[in-house]
Amino acid sequence: MNDNNDAGVLGIGMIPDSEYKQRLKRIQAEMEARNLDLIVGYSSENEPHHARYLADFAPNFDFAGFLIPQRGEAALLTGGPESIVYAKSISKIRKILIHPFLLETSAPPYPETEHLRFSHLIPQVTDVKKVRRVGLAGANIFPYNLY
């Protein structure tokens, strides 16, 4: 993606892609200072701010989350087929993964993902063999089922 400094809708300047990359770098530097291996975050249609801050992604169909390793590429998490297409078209985080608990509450069966868990996703963002310390972004809205 190119940095976009053009005026957006209503003449408001767009946040350049480089700003999103810098946000992740600052978070990863803070993770190193706090000895965190991973940050897991959660966002919903009513509480989109965590995913918007990191990826410019606001969940509309399903819920969203993210995994940020202390080193390496972060991943945006989404729940279903519609959200994956939407996320791939706008997210500033390029790695998009599926977590079945992020599907909308009235979703039809999605058997391709029903057995996926964080234990399957974490190795896709970090090569740390044993994640010891995890930070939560949005802990006050984080669904119990995701733990």
Side-chain angles (χ1 to χ4, degrees), residues 77-129:
L77 306 176
T78 185
E82 299 91 356
S83 289
I84 295 164
V85 172
Y86 173 53
K88 286 181 178 179
S89 71
I90 67 163
S91 175
K92 304 301 182 189
I93 294 176
R94 303 313 310 155
K95 184 181 282 189
I96 313 292
L97 302 175
I98 299 168
H99 192 298
F101 289 157
L102 295 172
L103 280 167
E104 63 177 295
T105 55
S106 61
Y110 193 26
E112 297 92 337
T113 67
E114 67 186 25
H115 299 293
L116 286 176
R117 298 294 180 263
F118 276 115
S119 61
H120 301 110
L121 303 177
I122 290 170
Q124 296 183 53
V125 297
T126 184
D127 59 0
V128 172
K129 297 298 179 209

Side-chain angles (χ1 to χ4, degrees), residues 27-81:
I27 290 168
Q28 287 175 318
E30 187 65 26
M31 289 172 69
E32 186 172 7
R34 294 177 184 234
N35 197 28
L36 292 174
D37 297 316
L38 187 71
I39 291 181
V40 178
Y42 176 78
S43 291
S44 68
E45 194 167 358
N46 292 327
E47 300 276 354
H49 43 279
H50 294 104
R52 282 297 299 268
Y53 180 79
L54 292 171
D56 197 21
F57 179 79
N60 283 323
F61 312 110
D62 298 315
F63 303 97
F66 51 85
L67 297 172
I68 304 173
Q70 188 184 101
R71 288 178 202 80
E73 184 182 6
L76 181 69
L77 306 176
T78 185

